[in-house]
Amino acid sequence: MPFALLRRAHKLHGTAWARVARRRAIDGRTYAATGGALEQVLPAFRKVTGDDGVSLGAVVREQHGRDESVHSCCPPDVVVWPRSVEEVSALAKICHRHGLPIIPFGTGTGLEGGVGAVKGGVCFSLRKMDRVLDLHQDDFDVTVEPGITRKALNSHLRDTGLWFPVDPGADASLCGMAATSASGTNAVRYGTMRDNVLNLEVVLADGTVLHTAGRGRRPRKTSAGYNLTGLFVGSEGTLGVITKATLRLHGIPELVLSAVCSFPSVQAAVDSTVQVLQAGIPIARIEFLDDVMMEACNRFSGLSYPVAPTLFLEFHGCDKSVQEQVAATEDIARDNGGSHFSWAQDAEARQKLWKARHDAWYAALALRPGCKAYSTDVCVPISSLPCIVVETKKDLKENHLTGPIAGHVGDGNFHCIMVMDPEDPDEMQRVHQFTERLARRALSLDGTCTGEHGVGLGKRTLLQEEVGPAAIEVMRNLKATLDPKNLMNPGKVV
């Protein structure tokens, strides 16, 4: 179950750390974390990172045992802060020697419980590795360390005329975004992380340092051997620790124009999306918010948009091309009953216009103060969008669930933000059943159970249904080859 309660944070009292002993089993494998083993590794960790690079504090461990998902906190036994790939490699070798699980941690903004230490172990917090290493403006690429976030990178790039467009909403770390194959609002034009990662430096479970496309290589394309870069993008920390990423950059467009348009029905809004894409209009963003989400956003952000199914659109290019895109899109929208167009060109006006979309998570939570939210996502072929969104709205209403919808409908991906009372077992069960139905509805339409959140803890069974036993067996064999002791973020994905 996506909402299965995981083990509670264990408490360590005083200097009793050395007396702690536990054994954990997963997928037929046993992990041992004895007081003696911990006594051995802690001095070794401190020798690598210094005293300030290791923490046993309960608060620190709990901070690193949770993400933004509904899953319970699962703190690691130790948190370490390496400052270089050499330190990551040295720490991994220690963990490998003593059979300790390794859980990479970026900013903790994931949505599927991917950072929980469900079998204990060592959290590698990568926030101290936050440099931009190499920028090649003429080649449109940059190499970064794992701790830098997308906003920090774009701030660094602001005077170059370049930007990194993958935007999952949260200010996530870039290598964390690679690990989860993040996507976001700009994917319809600029692609996802899979399309924008050229090379990765990865530390494997035994401390080996791997360069997925060769050390220092950054071609725009290659036919050389297996696509190891693609293998690690989306691996969710289960194959290695990403310590460096070479990313594709894009030119900042000459003109950016944003718009909001409301529709009489979900069908009309999603039909417009499909028709815009079928017309070949190179739109940069096309986001959908249903009427429930629009009402929530109006309340939360003090806005006054019509409470109706709504598209948020953005156009990039030169002045002439943008005007052509706008005219064609307006014609399509009006043919589907679209109205109440609001336009914005300067940065401040565009930021205000997009505020509703960016604040959707918090606006949904504000619908039911004191409750929690769980965001689930699916992705289907574009032509199937109208059907699945309409059916999902009907499902929510029939089961008396609060689940405003927001989505990157330009690439067939949308989210239900389920707002629920975790103390109400009946509601929790109904939410669980709904999310299972939603995922299987997407699978029945030749889609996927997750477009961008990843598998983590909550969607392992659905992944098996999606790809089938042969593919799962290949994944497990790859995992066993790269991580024979199953130390890398065990209990996730496969």
Side-chain angles (χ1 to χ4, degrees):
M1 284 179 62
F3 312 112
L5 292 178
L6 305 174
R7 67 175 180 84
R8 296 292 182 184
H10 55 270
K11 301 294 183 181
L12 299 177
H13 301 284
T15 60
W17 179 266
R19 296 193 297 274
V20 171
R22 68 177 67 82
R23 297 179 69 84
R24 303 173 172 100
I26 179 170
D27 297 333
R29 188 176 303 277
T30 300
Y31 297 92
T34 66
L38 292 167
E39 285 181 339
Q40 293 178 50
V41 299
L42 291 177
F45 287 164
R46 292 188 176 106
K47 187 175 181 180
V48 173
T49 66
D51 289 344
D52 62 347
V54 180
S55 178
L56 305 177
V59 172
V60 172
R61 290 186 297 108
E62 288 174 4
Q63 288 173 342
H64 289 81
R66 65 165 67 94
D67 57 14
E68 297 295 332
S69 73
V70 74
H71 295 286
S72 299
C73 177
C74 294
D77 299 312
V78 191
V79 180
V80 295
W81 288 271
R83 294 159 294 189
S84 66
V85 61
E86 292 78 15
E87 290 190 3
V88 174
S89 176
L91 292 167
K93 289 176 181 177
I94 296 169
C95 291
H96 190 263
R97 187 160 57 249
H98 292 276
L100 297 174
I102 298 169
I103 305 95
F105 188 96
T107 56
T109 54
L111 292 166
E112 291 295 341
V115 299
V118 293
K119 301 299 169 184
V122 184
C123 174
F124 283 37
S125 181
L126 302 167
R127 63 181 176 85
K128 290 186 178 181
M129 299 173 63
D130 60 356
R131 294 177 298 164
V132 175
L133 298 174
D134 294 296
L135 171 61
H136 301 96
Q137 291 181 232
D138 292 343
D139 296 324
F140 290 75
D141 66 63
V142 66
T143 300
V144 299
E145 288 187 320
I148 190 168
T149 67
R150 64 175 185 86
K151 287 184 179 179
L153 174 61
N154 280 325
S155 177
H156 181 88
L157 296 171
R158 63 180 176 269
D159 296 325
T160 67
L162 302 174
W163 71 313
F164 185 70
V166 181
D167 174 9
D171 189 22
S173 63
L174 289 160
C175 287
M177 288 166 60
T180 56
S181 191
S183 181
T185 59
N186 291 309
V188 64
R189 177 155 180 173
Y190 298 99
T192 70
M193 288 301 289
R194 289 193 188 277
D195 305 300
N196 288 282
V197 177
L198 302 175
N199 198 354
L200 294 172
E201 178 185 79
V202 182
V203 175
L204 302 180
D206 64 357
T208 299
V209 179
L210 169 70
H211 296 87
T212 59
R215 182 185 292 272
R217 311 230 175 258
R218 47 190 179 86
R220 303 291 281 188
K221 63 179 182 179
T222 177
S223 297
Y226 298 144
N227 185 355
L228 296 181
T229 303
L231 175 63
F232 282 89
V233 174
S235 60
E236 300 186 41
T238 62
L239 300 179
V241 182
I242 299 175
T243 53
K244 188 185 297 182
T246 300
L247 306 171
R248 185 190 304 261
L249 300 177
H250 299 260
I252 295 175
E254 175 186 324
L255 177 64
V256 177
L257 188 63
S258 298
V260 174
C261 178
S262 60
F263 290 84
S265 67
V266 171
Q267 183 80 43
V270 182
D271 280 348
S272 293
T273 300
V274 174
Q275 291 166 25
V276 165
L277 297 173
Q278 289 174 337
I281 298 169
I283 196 163
R285 304 190 200 188
I286 183 163
E287 298 284 299
F288 170 77
L289 276 67
D290 73 352
D291 54 332
V292 180
M293 183 64 84
M294 288 304 300
E295 182 174 11
C297 290
N298 281 344
R299 289 181 185 177
F300 183 79
S301 301
L303 302 172
S304 56
Y305 291 119
V307 178
T310 300
L311 290 181
F312 285 68
L313 311 119
E314 191 163 276
F315 306 88
H316 294 179
C318 66
D319 183 74
K320 182 178 179 181
S321 69
V322 166
Q323 297 308 322
E324 290 174 348
Q325 294 172 44
V326 167
T329 302
E330 277 189 311
D331 287 344
I332 291 171
R334 289 200 173 98
D335 286 345
N336 286 285
S339 60
H340 298 96
F341 273 90
S342 298
W343 295 96
Q345 182 170 333
D346 65 88
E348 184 177 351
R350 283 189 286 110
Q351 184 176 11
K352 182 178 180 180
L353 182 148
W354 280 94
K355 184 174 178 57
R357 178 63 184 96
H358 290 152
D359 288 346
W361 172 267
Y362 304 103
L365 273 174
L367 288 172
R368 296 178 63 185
C371 287
K372 292 189 176 181
Y374 168 67
S375 179
T376 187
D377 82 313
V378 296
C379 188
V380 296
I382 300 295
S383 61
S384 298
L385 263 176
C387 170
I388 192 171
V389 173
V390 170
E391 288 185 12
T392 299
K393 289 280 291 180
K394 181 180 177 182
D395 193 345
L396 288 165
K397 185 175 181 179
E398 288 177 350
N399 288 279
H400 310 289
L401 294 171
T402 304
I405 294 175
H408 319 308
V409 288
D411 51 13
N413 182 208
F414 72 93
H415 311 262
C416 285
I417 302 178
M418 307 305 300
V419 186
M420 61 209 170
D421 180 359
E423 303 302 320
D424 183 341
D426 177 67
E427 183 178 20
M428 292 289 285
Q429 180 67 13
R430 283 185 286 118
V431 168
H432 166 62
Q433 292 171 345
F434 164 80
T435 58
E436 294 279 309
R437 286 194 301 273
L438 174 59
R440 292 191 170 96
R441 191 177 296 133
L443 295 181
S444 72
L445 295 169
D446 300 327
T448 175
C449 67
T450 175
E452 60 185 18
H453 291 180
V455 174
L457 286 170
K459 293 188 174 179
R460 296 178 73 190
T461 299
L462 290 164
L463 175 66
Q464 295 179 32
E465 294 179 22
E466 179 171 328
V467 302
I472 290 293
E473 185 64 19
V474 170
M475 291 183 192
R476 287 175 175 160
N477 288 338
L478 287 168
K479 165 80 168 165
T481 298
L482 294 170
D483 180 19
K485 292 186 177 182
N486 195 20
L487 300 180
M488 290 303 313
N489 207 9
K492 317 295 171 52
V493 187
V494 296

